[in-house]
Amino acid sequence: MKKVLFSLTALALCAMMFTSCKKDKDNDDKEESKISELSATVNDGSFKTSTAAFLSSSSADNTGTSKLSQIFSSTEGSTTIAGTEKGKQLAITIKGTTTGTYNLSVGANTTVNKALIELLSGGTIQDVIKDAIDVETNAMIIYRTVGQTEGSNDYWFSTKASVSFDNSLVLYATGTFTADMRNKSGDTFSITDGKFKVFGK
């Protein structure tokens, strides 16, 4: 009888171990199966979503009236990578549609830096940014509450940024990004761990 009881106990223990291992493996598989993701540490915590994609458009498509579309209009076209999570949106725009590193660097030019801040705080002086010779305006990162526009305190924009973009698979892009962010009121935070892997067109 003791042998039978021992055998049943051992069998139950093996079954529990197998089930537990299978659950762990299933959870691991689910983590690895996220093939679309945009994430970064931001001022109010962690932004991470699988609801993200990228869109590349030709120069002919860049005829919008938004301030960003005017800054990023170019003969090379532009690409936007964006995602939404819990009422927040993170968007990365680069001036170009091919693999490469795209930068925003206006900190050394006080006039242009002030103009960029004015523009994305609700101003109308985009030409100062667009036509500046000694600055790079090839990338822009926006973090905002959905529905907020330029001039809102919950509309954050980069004053310095670097985006590594790889779309060698054409319909799938991967990359990383860093940025110094601020809002209209002058509050700031930095993104040092941004990354994305997204489908697009």
Side-chain angles (χ1 to χ4, degrees), residues 47-93:
F47 180 96
K48 187 173 185 180
T49 182
S50 58
T51 309
F54 81 92
L55 172 66
S56 291
S57 57
S58 69
S59 57
D61 296 329
N62 293 334
T63 56
T65 57
S66 76
K67 292 164 187 177
L68 285 180
S69 70
Q70 291 174 43
I71 292 172
F72 286 96
S73 63
S74 73
T75 56
E76 295 85 23
S78 64
T79 300
T80 298
I81 302 132
T84 303
E85 183 206 27
K86 296 177 183 174
K88 297 281 187 174
Q89 184 183 56
L90 182 62
I92 305 157
T93 301

Side-chain angles (χ1 to χ4, degrees), residues 142-161:
I142 302 293
Y143 179 62
R144 63 178 184 155
T145 299
V146 172
Q148 296 298 303
T149 57
E150 296 101 337
S152 162
N153 276 337
D154 207 14
Y155 182 94
W156 301 81
F157 52 90
S158 56
T159 55
K160 183 178 181 182

Side-chain angles (χ1 to χ4, degrees), residues 9-183:
T9 304
L11 184 62
L13 184 59
C14 287
M16 285 186 345
M17 287 177 60
F18 176 76
T19 303
S20 175
C21 289
K22 185 175 187 311
K23 282 182 181 174
D24 289 342
K25 185 175 186 312
D26 287 346
N27 288 336
D28 290 343
D29 289 344
K30 283 178 185 174
E31 287 298 315
E32 290 173 9
S33 67
K34 288 184 178 175
I35 54 176
S36 183
E37 186 174 279
L38 173 62
S39 65
T41 300
V42 291
N43 62 323
D44 49 0
S46 176
F47 180 96
K48 187 173 185 180
T49 182
S50 58
T51 309
F54 81 92
L55 172 66
S56 291
S57 57
S58 69
S59 57
D61 296 329
N62 293 334
T63 56
T65 57
S66 76
K67 292 164 187 177
L68 285 180
S69 70
Q70 291 174 43
I71 292 172
F72 286 96
S73 63
S74 73
T75 56
E76 295 85 23
S78 64
T79 300
T80 298
I81 302 132
T84 303
E85 183 206 27
K86 296 177 183 174
K88 297 281 187 174
Q89 184 183 56
L90 182 62
I92 305 157
T93 301
I94 57 175
K95 191 183 288 186
T97 59
T98 57
T99 296
T101 299
Y102 298 83
N103 296 304
L104 170 69
S105 178
V106 298
N109 186 312
T110 304
T111 301
V112 173
N113 196 23
K114 286 181 179 176
L116 175 65
I117 291 166
E118 174 66 19
L119 166 68
L120 292 174
S121 295
T124 59
I125 48 178
Q126 66 271 9
D127 288 340
V128 178
I129 305 295
K130 186 178 175 183
D131 298 332
I133 298 171
D134 59 342
V135 297
E136 286 185 280
T137 55
N138 295 319
M140 174 60 68
I141 296 170
I142 302 293
Y143 179 62
R144 63 178 184 155
T145 299
V146 172
Q148 296 298 303
T149 57
E150 296 101 337
S152 162
N153 276 337
D154 207 14
Y155 182 94
W156 301 81
F157 52 90
S158 56
T159 55
K160 183 178 181 182
S162 181
V163 181
S164 173
F165 177 72
D166 182 354
N167 66 336
S168 53
L169 295 176
V170 184
L171 293 180
Y172 190 66
T174 61
T176 58
F177 60 96
T178 60
D180 292 341
M181 308 289 289
R182 65 160 288 158
N183 66 0

